[in-house]
Amino acid sequence: MKSNWKYILSWLLLMVGGFYLINALIMVGVIDDFIENMLVTIGINIILATGLNLIIGFSGQFSLGHAGFMAIGAYATAIITQRMSSEAGFLVSMFVGVLLAIIIAAIIGTATFIRLKGDYLAIATLGAAEIIRNVINNLKITGGAAGLYNIPQLCSWPTVYILFCVTTIILTNFIRSKNGRAIKAVREDEIAAEAMGINTTKWKLAAFVLGGATAAIAGSLHASFLQTISPSNFGIMESISILVIVVLGGVGSMTGTFVAAIVLGVLDTALQSFGALRMVIYAIVLILIMIFKPAGLLGNWEFSLKNLTRHFGKKERS
Amino acid sequence: MQTVLQQIINALSLGSIYALLALGYSMVYGIINLINFAHGDIYMLGAFFAYYVINVWHFNFITALLSAMIIGAVSGVVIEYFAYRPLRKSPRIAVLITAIGVSFLLENGMSYFVGSNARSFPQVIEQVNYNIGGVQISNVQILILVTALILMVSLQLIIQKTKMGRAMRAVSVDPAAAELVGVNVNHTISFTFALGSALAGAAGILIGMYYNQIDPLMGMTPGIKAFVAAVLGGIGSVPGASLGGFLIGILETFFQSIGLSAYKDAVVYLVLIVILLFLPAGIFGKNTKEKV
Amino acid sequence: MPHLLDVDHVVRKFGGLTAVNDVSLHLDKHELVALIGPNGAGKTTLFNLLTGMVQVTSGKINLQVDDKNYDLTHKSAVQIADLGLSRTFQNIRLFKDLTVMDNVLTAMTNEYKENFLTTVFRLPSFYKTEKEMRAAAQKLLAIFDLTENEQTLAKNLPYGTQRRLEVVRALATHPQILFLDEPAAGMNPEETADLTNLIKYIQKEFQITVLLIEHDMSLVMNLAERIYVLDQGEILATGSPEEIKANPKVIEAYLGEGDD
């Protein structure tokens, strides 16, 4: 019991320490606006990709529609904070976005998970996300194809940092629990899982809804931080770029998702000066990593303080 | 009545192009279970190569079509050899990401070398419009439809009647067993890529003629729609892919014609989802249930 | 007096093929019954019907627990598992990439309630439940001599051990009835002997009913109190091991075929 508290405390210290480290680096000018933007983008991408990894890597369901949930959060925040420009408005908008995402994810999931698997499921989720985008594209309140701009900036990097920590805590703790085991059992073998009394549809849905809810949070942050959104931000390409982070890091490794989001974020920033050649280099790097590391950068390895201390403990003893 | 006929003709010519693209997706998926994201970009390559040979070397329709098909086939085989073959034993999702990488590479490489703006496609044959009982039909539309149909029938013949076609069917059922009975699996997969990509190249020149305009990102949206068409028809099935392509073409044209063009994409996807819910393996696909 | 499980004229057709034809059988409380028959006789299909993995074409399946009647005929696999019918699989279906411990814990998913907030924010009750679950799993693993392998991935276990783990996992759902589909397949004689003792032990210890499919006749004759013989989808004979051994029909259809 005591050791549990030790780990919780260590993690909390790590998170608070990270916050003050970034803060200090901004104060002394090591992190300029440019790098701050990069960090925020990485943070938002981690929220998106860890949620998608829960769906793909842990529950084993192939979703290609993650950007659809991001769009829901982004538009909820844009529309509400334009009318209610305050911190409270931002929180309300995020709550509304999450709620909507949960409802829509539940509808999509209930309709598709019972009957569809694998690539067919991927295409159905892709289709569902495109329908969401198409509707947004045609509504007046969402500003149509031009999108919404002058969204009040009610979130700064600390907001992103805090929510990034909260979603990470929720997702990783969810996975390392009874729920996570049930979800992984569904991924491993649906028939055996059902024989153990595990309602496969229900657990797939749980992962999908939780992933969708975190994507909506990421969308809210995206809208409020960048202050401009349009339907084209949330298309298939966005879903795919989230998928790329998940696969590159290692399907089923949250640590890998972190590493991949950081690597890709830094690479993207570093390549800014290459102009048009940037995407060409990005594509080649992507292909090469996949050819030489098909299981992703980290496979399914997870970082854990417990194992780390165990490891060092062993070394000391021997 | 006339407008209905008119729309049907428009739908068929657009649908036939989707169908050609869908066939390539379907064949590749059938044989190595890969959603070949780069397929739409091979169609872009075909269109650009045709643009080049028509403008610079003054090729006529037939030779331009053949050269677009050849460039499609060659790039398909090269991509498979360098990007997909090393991953034959890897998780499927890794190959999928590689395919996405190849797609990015082709799109951005092309933008880098020729610029990203759209250019108008040369009129390889002079457009003549016929008016048959109030229905407008152009020789280009007829040409597109006829070319697409000829290619589809030839593909079906190759798959059903030739030795290589038999090898393709064998590998798609069970690669290990096919290898045991002497089928060269690697050659067969290369051949499948060549065939599918040649059709994509052909679709490229046809779409150039249909819309009179090409650009390096032109493969993205039709690529995804063609994949949807392949899934709709039952992936792995040649008649399914053709039917799926025509269906998508018809749906799009129909919703455009009744003034709902803004929602045409949503409707296409909605129909897709509904059909998948009732026929989870597409219209012609076989639904296989896992054995306990 | 109704039986614990009553299978009443059950038929299952796959297209033109009748895999299970008019089978009636019953299981009583704390019985150890074997189901034998040549390959393709429909034994596994019958298991699939009883556990809801496949639905019956006609007939009825009824469960009677504590004077309560449950009609299992059209229940789903999950519902049936929740009513206390658990099984293993002929072709081993472990959760391969999970550890031995997690495989067992997974089977306790429905038994231990844990709410979302206490889980994701690691409130004390989370650790309490988790500890209880682990203790229960460790007890089972110890019985099956798997304590050493707790943190091994299931896929890295030797074949015989994987089979044992499947039995543990099935037991972890606290079943009333345990269906074992060829639990000794692929085991060497020593492992088989161990398993025979284990099955006897758990049946007594946990007061459960066991129905097992097995080709290993020494195991069947040693363990079973009653035997059903299935041939071409139909019940050919039923009785005590001695009666089955002496039954000429059985000898002709099954035992006579091979010499094992």
Side-chain angles (χ1 to χ4, degrees):
Chain A
M1 226 26 148
K2 228 175 230 162
S3 73
N4 292 330
W5 284 107
K6 215 167 71 194
Y7 292 115
I8 291 179
L9 211 66
S10 316
W11 275 113
L12 278 178
L13 278 175
L14 208 63
M15 287 177 192
V16 175
F19 182 88
Y20 282 108
L21 181 69
I22 298 174
N23 206 13
L25 289 176
I26 291 176
M27 298 274 245
V28 295
V30 176
I31 295 181
D32 53 13
D33 280 358
F34 192 59
I35 298 181
E36 193 185 313
N37 270 334
M38 178 185 92
L39 290 179
V40 166
T41 314
I42 291 175
I44 293 176
N45 280 340
I46 289 177
I47 299 178
L48 287 166
T50 43
L52 185 64
N53 202 353
L54 171 71
I55 300 169
I56 295 184
F58 292 88
S59 79
Q61 305 307 306
F62 194 178
S63 163
L64 264 182
H66 215 55
F69 300 115
M70 188 189 177
I72 293 171
Y75 274 92
T77 289
I79 292 167
I80 293 174
T81 58
Q82 277 185 344
R83 288 156 182 78
M84 205 173 141
S85 180
S86 65
E87 303 276 322
F90 179 62
L91 283 180
V92 168
S93 77
M94 190 178 283
F95 181 75
V96 170
V98 167
L99 201 67
L100 272 176
I102 288 175
I103 294 168
I104 292 172
I107 294 171
I108 296 172
T110 324
T112 54
F113 285 152
I114 298 170
R115 302 190 58 103
L116 301 177
K117 280 194 174 70
D119 297 325
Y120 290 94
L121 180 67
I123 294 303
T125 49
L126 178 152
E130 280 300 288
I131 293 173
I132 295 173
R133 197 168 73 96
N134 198 271
V135 170
I136 291 174
N137 210 354
N138 287 296
L139 291 182
K140 221 179 219 146
I141 190 169
T142 57
L148 295 169
Y149 30 91
N150 293 334
I151 303 163
Q153 194 177 46
L154 296 164
C155 91
S156 50
W157 78 265
T159 328
V160 177
Y161 188 84
I162 291 167
L163 282 164
F164 148 78
C165 288
V166 171
T167 52
T168 305
I169 291 169
I170 292 178
L171 289 176
T172 50
N173 283 343
F174 184 78
I175 287 164
R176 294 178 311 118
S177 75
K178 185 193 91 164
N179 312 287
R181 289 190 291 265
I183 282 173
K184 283 191 262 182
V186 172
R187 170 192 75 191
E188 295 288 308
D189 191 324
E190 289 196 24
I191 288 170
E194 294 206 334
M196 299 302 116
I198 293 172
N199 185 335
T200 51
T201 309
K202 183 187 115 186
W203 287 106
K204 285 181 203 173
L205 211 55
F208 193 62
V209 165
L210 187 53
T214 51
I217 294 178
S220 289
L221 295 172
H222 173 96
S224 193
F225 192 81
L226 295 179
Q227 297 179 277
T228 331
I229 51 169
S230 76
S232 60
N233 300 147
F234 309 104
I236 295 167
M237 277 304 147
E238 179 61 28
S239 292
I240 285 177
S241 71
I242 306 167
L243 177 71
V244 166
I245 298 175
V246 173
V247 180
L248 203 62
V251 172
S253 163
M254 288 296 183
T255 318
T257 300
F258 270 65
V259 172
I262 294 169
V263 167
L264 287 180
V266 172
L267 184 72
D268 191 58
T269 314
L271 291 179
Q272 291 288 348
S273 54
F274 284 83
L277 210 53
R278 185 175 70 109
M279 282 304 289
V280 177
I281 299 173
Y282 175 86
I284 293 172
V285 170
L286 190 62
I287 296 170
L288 290 179
I289 295 181
M290 283 291 87
I291 290 179
F292 292 107
K293 288 223 113 195
L297 292 170
L298 297 190
N300 57 7
W301 181 82
E302 290 288 10
F303 173 77
S304 129
L305 274 181
K306 220 172 250 185
N307 291 345
L308 198 71
T309 48
R310 235 181 248 157
H311 186 71
F312 282 114
K314 238 181 239 164
K315 264 195 186 152
E316 271 162 34
R317 257 177 272 138
S318 62
Chain B
M1 190 60 208
Q2 277 165 6
T3 46
V4 171
L5 269 176
Q6 181 75 58
Q7 294 307 341
I8 287 176
I9 285 165
N10 293 344
L12 286 181
S13 38
L14 183 62
S16 64
I17 298 175
Y18 283 147
L20 281 183
L21 260 184
L23 284 168
Y25 273 111
S26 202
M27 278 159 39
V28 167
Y29 191 94
I31 207 152
I32 57 171
N33 276 333
L34 165 71
I35 303 177
N36 183 12
F37 257 89
H39 193 65
D41 302 299
I42 290 175
Y43 145 101
M44 178 271 293
L45 286 182
F48 267 84
F49 194 70
Y51 170 87
Y52 180 79
V53 294
I54 294 168
N55 268 352
V56 178
W57 292 341
H58 306 290
F59 276 24
N60 64 17
F61 172 71
I62 298 286
T63 48
L65 175 74
L66 288 177
S67 54
M69 289 176 70
I70 289 168
I71 203 75
V74 170
S75 38
V77 171
V78 169
I79 290 168
E80 192 275 325
Y81 187 83
F82 284 106
Y84 305 154
R85 191 165 297 183
L87 289 157
R88 201 58 62 74
K89 303 255 178 306
S90 304
R92 283 182 47 206
I93 201 159
V95 199
L96 180 75
I97 297 296
T98 312
I100 290 170
V102 172
S103 166
F104 282 0
L105 182 64
L106 292 179
E107 284 166 13
N108 294 294
M110 202 57 159
S111 300
Y112 182 69
F113 287 115
V114 304
S116 55
N117 9 349
R119 50 194 69 205
S120 62
F121 198 78
Q123 281 215 335
V124 65
I125 50 168
E126 196 152 344
Q127 182 156 345
V128 185
N129 286 322
Y130 307 104
N131 190 325
I132 306 166
V135 178
Q136 286 281 336
I137 180 163
S138 75
N139 57 346
V140 172
Q141 279 179 318
I142 297 174
L143 194 62
I144 289 174
L145 196 56
V146 170
T147 313
L149 286 177
I150 291 173
L151 289 174
M152 282 179 228
V153 172
S154 337
L155 177 70
Q156 186 69 2
L157 287 178
I158 290 174
I159 291 177
Q160 296 301 333
K161 302 282 179 206
T162 68
K163 208 175 148 201
M164 211 56 200
R166 197 170 341 133
M168 281 169 67
R169 283 180 283 145
V171 174
S172 73
V173 173
D174 187 341
E179 188 141 40
L180 282 179
V181 295
V183 174
N184 186 329
V185 173
N186 277 335
H187 284 182
T188 312
I189 292 175
S190 293
F191 183 74
T192 309
F193 269 87
L195 266 187
S197 308
L199 295 181
I205 176 171
L206 296 181
I207 201 83
M209 290 161 66
Y210 186 83
Y211 285 132
N212 291 322
Q213 171 165 303
I214 58 172
D215 70 89
L217 300 184
M218 63 186 274
M220 230 154 59
T221 315
I224 286 161
K225 279 195 190 139
F227 183 68
V228 168
V231 171
L232 199 59
I235 203 145
S237 145
V238 168
S242 309
L243 180 73
F246 281 114
L247 265 179
I248 299 276
I250 291 169
L251 275 173
E252 266 196 37
T253 320
F254 174 70
F255 279 92
Q256 219 148 6
S257 69
I258 60 169
L260 280 177
S261 72
Y263 285 99
K264 73 172 191 218
D265 286 353
V267 172
V268 167
Y269 287 113
L270 195 65
V271 169
L272 169 85
I273 293 173
V274 170
I275 290 187
L276 283 185
L277 292 183
F278 289 102
L279 299 163
I283 298 169
F284 282 126
K286 281 194 197 77
N287 197 6
T288 46
K289 238 188 159 179
E290 198 181 355
K291 249 190 107 188
V292 182
Chain C
M1 171 79 183
H3 304 286
L4 174 66
L5 188 77
D6 247 314
V7 178
D8 193 17
H9 298 290
V10 158
V11 177
R12 170 67 209 202
K13 292 181 180 161
F14 292 105
L17 182 92
T18 308
V20 169
N21 190 10
D22 199 26
V23 166
S24 297
L25 56 82
H26 64 89
L27 298 175
D28 281 318
K29 251 190 170 172
H30 312 156
E31 255 193 319
L32 219 163
V33 181
L35 179 64
I36 64 172
N39 284 327
K43 303 183 297 291
T44 295
T45 305
L46 187 59
F47 262 34
N48 290 343
L49 290 169
L50 298 179
T51 50
M53 311 240 139
V54 168
Q55 297 292 319
V56 298
T57 309
S58 67
K60 275 189 81 162
I61 304 167
N62 199 64
L63 178 74
Q64 168 104 8
V65 184
D66 304 330
D67 293 331
K68 266 199 210 140
N69 249 316
Y70 301 94
D71 183 6
L72 301 188
T73 315
H74 296 292
K75 289 236 176 351
S76 71
V78 174
Q79 289 169 319
I80 289 178
D82 274 343
L83 283 170
L85 280 73
S86 192
R87 70 173 291 178
T88 66
F89 296 88
Q90 189 182 347
N91 46 350
I92 308 187
R93 284 179 168 272
L94 286 170
F95 306 123
K96 293 195 183 64
D97 275 316
L98 303 191
T99 61
V100 167
M101 181 49 129
D102 281 354
N103 264 279
V104 180
L105 289 176
T106 302
M108 303 176 175
T109 301
N110 292 355
E111 190 188 344
Y112 291 84
K113 298 282 172 248
E114 184 63 67
N115 97 21
F116 180 78
L117 288 179
T118 56
T119 302
V120 298
F121 295 114
R122 289 291 190 259
L123 301 180
S125 84
F126 166 81
Y127 290 108
K128 199 174 146 256
T129 328
E130 194 76 356
K131 217 171 145 189
E132 281 171 28
M133 286 176 91
R134 278 177 199 274
Q138 272 160 350
K139 228 167 104 191
L140 283 175
L141 286 171
I143 295 174
F144 282 77
D145 206 12
L146 284 164
T147 309
E148 295 253 298
N149 305 45
E150 234 180 73
Q151 293 309 319
T152 316
L153 293 185
K155 66 179 174 191
N156 295 336
L157 292 174
Y159 189 79
T161 317
Q162 292 195 8
R163 286 224 173 269
R164 266 190 300 158
L165 176 57
E166 254 211 334
V167 180
V168 183
R169 187 181 64 177
L171 267 180
T173 62
H174 297 303
Q176 301 268 351
I177 307 175
L178 183 60
F179 297 103
L180 302 174
D181 198 344
E182 298 196 27
M187 284 187 176
N188 62 37
E190 203 182 315
E191 286 175 314
T192 308
D194 280 349
L195 186 79
T196 312
N197 291 332
L198 266 176
I199 294 174
K200 247 185 209 159
Y201 174 77
I202 55 166
Q203 192 252 349
K204 292 241 154 49
E205 177 74 16
F206 297 97
Q207 294 281 302
I208 53 176
T209 304
V210 177
L211 177 65
L212 64 93
I213 296 177
E214 192 46 69
H215 284 297
D216 188 318
M217 278 308 131
S218 68
L219 184 146
V220 170
M221 295 303 166
N222 198 336
L223 264 182
E225 295 155 17
R226 263 186 325 123
I227 296 175
Y228 285 102
V229 185
L230 201 65
D231 187 31
Q232 298 184 1
E234 294 175 35
I235 298 277
L236 188 73
T238 168
S240 67
E242 286 69 33
E243 288 166 351
I244 295 296
K245 261 191 240 174
N247 188 321
K249 272 200 286 184
V250 177
I251 294 168
E252 190 195 333
Y254 185 46
L255 298 173
E257 244 173 38
D259 45 6
D260 49 3

